[in-house]
């Protein structure tokens, strides 16, 4: 635990923040390189706890990778039948605990998955049930459908030619299947009945497969979504990973609540990242967002011109903690909807956000699937990160406007942004030198 006092605003922000690679794009690039038909070189892979655990998991399953942090990172794919048991530490990473079990189950050799104690609370059952339908055998050490468990394959396409997964709690269940089933020896239809969440992340998965020559086609839309996947290894690809636009959130938030402007270099012109939605959301709340060269510049609203928002976030749930902190600083109330699935994130984020916002002076109604936030005069509070990177950055944003705000564990940001404390201090102190 690294106790931290959040730096308070020094005046309008004038910062350029160069962000490391996207967690979600890094995981997909590593995964697909590890099952490709030849070696790949990846540029700009995020170096953080989640991606290190992801890479270590791939190595446990037989791929050979240069250390995360080396640029470019080379990946020699796994080859042939894995022998001997594997042990995979998921930490608190949804990508590791969801994307790697299907890959492990390609082999008859056992693979044991475990993670942080909070990871044992995160939902997995619908994915594991789908893997059992594809022939996996899974033994649970504790509660069924949770970590820790041991999985054995091999997976095979059932006679019916389809498998169903309920992805209403997490898009990662669906992405996990789509990322591995091209390695099965027959076409498979992957069905996901019902409401989907985090649609951009599903599009990101499909786009990553298509870029590597995989044949995948969406054959039905919500509420009976289905994809047909043809067998075939992905082609190797040398790829440059885009900056993490979700992690741009706290820095853009700094200009929203303190005024001034923040520049993010290399903001992609077209992307499947959920974080691209910041431009639309923050413009609706009073900012001006413009492209400038290859980057994005956000000019925060004038004092008193930051308005609240009523928004369905089912597609972009990972932006909710930063947005909730901005809403607490707005002039008018906000409503965040469609995010019941945040209760299965690193912590129950709706509960954690409601309590953090109340401690900071807002009035909050916690609904099953969202939050109503009525801003009040902000006050300093002792916030908890709950091991959650986005709860840590939520506290940092509130601290800008409430001097004396503390956080029990700023090191939680190492999940996706280990340099957060330094980047944040530089961003905030740009106000003083402006
Ligand atoms: O596939 C991915 O890389 C992710 C999918 C989303 O998960 P959920 O659909 O569980 O929200 C997102 O929130 C998470 O941060 C990353
Ligand atoms: C939900 C998140 O992460 P994970 O990949 O662990 O699900 C997140 O980063 O907001």
């Amino acid at each position: 635990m690294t106790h931290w006092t959040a730096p308070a605003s020094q005046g309008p922000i004038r910062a350029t923040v160069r962000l490391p690679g996207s967690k979600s794009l890094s995981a997909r690039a590593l995964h697909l390189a590890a099952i490709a038909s030849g070696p790949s070189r990846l540029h700009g892979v995020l170096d953080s706890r989640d991606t290190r655990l992801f890479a270590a998991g791939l190595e446990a399953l037989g791929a050979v990778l240069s250390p995360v942090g080396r640029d470019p990172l080379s990946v020699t794919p796994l080859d042939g039948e894995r022998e001997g048991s594997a042990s995979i530490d998921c930490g608190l990473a949804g990508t590791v605990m969801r994307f790697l079990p299907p890959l492990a189950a390609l082999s008859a050799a056992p693979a044991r998955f475990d993670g942080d104690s909070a990871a044992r609370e995160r939902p997995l059952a619908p994915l594991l049930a789908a893997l059992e339908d594809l022939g996996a055998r899974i033994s649970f050490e504790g509660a069924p459908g949770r970590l820790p468990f041991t999985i054995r394959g091999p997976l095979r396409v059932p006679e019916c030619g389809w498998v169903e997964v309920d992805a209403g709690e997490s898009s990662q269940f669906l992405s996990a299947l789509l990322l591995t089933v091209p390695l099965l020896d027959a076409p498979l239809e992957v069905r996901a009945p019902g409401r989907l969440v985090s649609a951009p992340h599903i599009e990101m998965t499909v786009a990553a497969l298509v870029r590597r020559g995989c044949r995948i086609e969406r054959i039905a839309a919500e509420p009976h979504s289905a994809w047909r996947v043809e067998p075939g290894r992905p082609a190797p690809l040398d790829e440059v990973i885009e900056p993490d636009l979700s992690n741009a959130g706290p820095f853009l938030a700094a200009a929203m609540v303190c005024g001034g402007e923040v520049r993010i270099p290399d903001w992609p012109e077209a992307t499947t990242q959920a974080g691209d939605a910041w431009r639309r959301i923050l413009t609706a709340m009073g900012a001006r967002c413009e492209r400038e060269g290859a980057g994005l510049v956000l000019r925060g609203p004038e004092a008193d011109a930051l308005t609240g928002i009523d928004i369905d976030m089912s597609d972009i749930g990972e932006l909710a903690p930063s947005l909730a902190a901005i809403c607490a600083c707005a002039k008018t109330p906000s409503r965040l909807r469609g995010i019941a699935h945040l209760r299965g994130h690193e912590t129950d984020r709706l509960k954690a956000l409601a309590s953090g916002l109340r401690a900071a002076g807002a009035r909050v109604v916690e609904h099953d699937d969202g939050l109503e936030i009525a801003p009040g005069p902000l006050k300093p509070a002792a916030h908890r990160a709950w091991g959650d990177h986005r709860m840590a950055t939520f506290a940092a944003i509130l601290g800008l406007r409430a001097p004396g705000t503390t956080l029990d564990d700023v090191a939680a940001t190492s999940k996706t942004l280990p340099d957060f404390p330094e980047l944040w201090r530089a961003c905030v102190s740009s106000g003083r030198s402006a």
Side-chain angles (χ1 to χ4, degrees):
M1 293 262 193
T2 315
H3 189 266
W4 190 66
T5 301
S9 166
Q10 312 263 342
I13 305 289
R14 303 259 174 256
T16 297
V17 185
R18 195 167 283 283
L19 289 162
S22 148
K23 169 197 77 171
S24 294
L25 287 169
S26 295
R28 284 159 179 77
L30 289 168
H31 188 106
L32 293 173
I35 58 170
S37 54
S40 303
R41 280 151 62 90
L42 306 174
H43 300 261
V45 169
L46 172 66
D47 182 3
S48 75
R49 183 170 187 234
D50 276 16
T51 48
R52 285 184 179 219
L53 289 169
F54 202 95
L58 291 172
E59 288 193 306
L61 298 178
V64 179
L65 285 81
S66 51
V68 177
R70 189 165 295 169
D71 206 55
L73 188 156
S74 60
V75 183
T76 307
L78 43 94
D79 200 13
E81 179 75 354
R82 176 168 55 88
E83 285 164 15
S85 55
S87 175
I88 293 177
D89 178 7
C90 303
L92 191 49
T95 46
V96 182
M97 73 177 79
R98 277 79 179 252
F99 292 1
L100 296 190
L103 200 49
L106 290 174
S107 161
R112 180 178 184 274
F113 285 79
D114 199 1
D116 298 355
S117 55
R120 295 179 173 192
E121 306 297 320
R122 298 195 67 181
L124 270 170
L127 170 64
L128 300 180
L131 293 176
E132 285 177 329
D133 290 343
L134 293 172
R137 286 161 299 140
I138 305 172
S139 50
F140 296 101
E141 292 171 34
R146 306 261 176 197
L147 292 168
F149 63 83
T150 297
I151 188 165
R152 294 174 176 78
L155 300 183
R156 42 145 191 79
V157 173
E159 258 172 41
C160 62
W162 56 266
V163 70
E164 189 170 279
V165 64
D166 180 348
E169 259 181 315
S170 172
S171 64
Q172 291 178 343
F173 303 155
L174 180 56
S175 286
L177 290 174
L178 297 177
L179 284 168
T180 290
V181 298
L183 265 60
L184 301 184
D185 54 13
L188 179 69
E189 191 180 314
V190 180
R191 298 180 181 172
R195 199 181 70 99
L196 297 176
V197 294
S198 310
H201 283 99
I202 300 168
E203 284 164 37
M204 181 187 279
T205 299
V206 173
L209 286 159
V210 168
R211 267 205 307 282
R212 289 162 178 83
C214 292
R215 285 175 301 149
I216 174 168
E217 189 192 352
R218 185 160 189 167
I219 53 175
E222 259 175 280
H224 302 290
S225 303
W227 289 259
R228 184 181 162 86
V229 187
E230 302 291 332
R233 281 198 169 221
L237 186 69
D238 290 353
E239 190 179 16
V240 181
I241 307 293
E242 298 168 5
D244 194 309
L245 306 186
S246 297
N247 271 338
F251 300 95
L252 300 175
M256 291 301 289
V257 308
C258 302
E261 53 192 56
V262 165
R263 287 183 164 68
I264 311 282
D266 301 323
W267 192 284
E269 273 192 40
T271 179
T272 50
Q273 286 195 64
D276 197 33
W278 282 127
R279 297 185 297 142
R280 162 174 64 83
I281 297 170
L282 300 181
T283 302
M285 297 179 82
R288 276 186 300 139
C289 282
E290 284 159 16
R291 295 204 64 88
E292 200 181 68
L296 182 84
V297 53
L298 175 137
R299 296 187 174 83
E302 298 298 321
D304 288 356
L306 173 58
T307 55
I309 190 165
D310 184 336
I311 182 171
D312 179 341
M313 300 195 83
S314 50
D315 274 356
I316 50 172
E318 68 178 9
L319 310 186
S322 293
L323 185 58
I326 300 171
C327 293
C329 303
K331 286 290 144 198
T332 55
S334 294
R335 174 86 195 249
L336 313 185
R337 305 169 186 272
I339 44 176
H341 64 292
L342 263 64
R343 297 191 185 278
H345 278 182
E346 285 81 334
T347 184
D348 177 341
R349 283 184 174 158
L350 295 187
K351 191 170 154 211
L353 287 170
S355 104
L357 288 164
R358 284 187 191 120
R363 277 175 296 119
V364 181
V365 181
E366 183 184 338
H367 294 274
D368 287 348
D369 78 329
L371 298 171
E372 276 177 69
I373 304 167
L378 278 181
K379 54 183 188 196
H383 290 277
R384 292 185 63 180
W386 307 104
D388 183 346
H389 52 152
R390 301 202 200 278
M391 288 308 303
T393 52
F394 159 84
I397 300 165
L398 292 174
L400 291 168
R401 295 270 297 262
T405 294
T406 63
L407 175 66
D408 64 342
D409 187 19
V410 75
T413 54
S414 67
K415 187 172 187 287
T416 58
L417 193 53
D419 294 337
F420 177 75
E422 297 74 35
L423 288 172
W424 189 249
R425 196 160 291 283
C427 177
V428 179
S429 60
S430 70
R432 189 173 31 204
S433 49

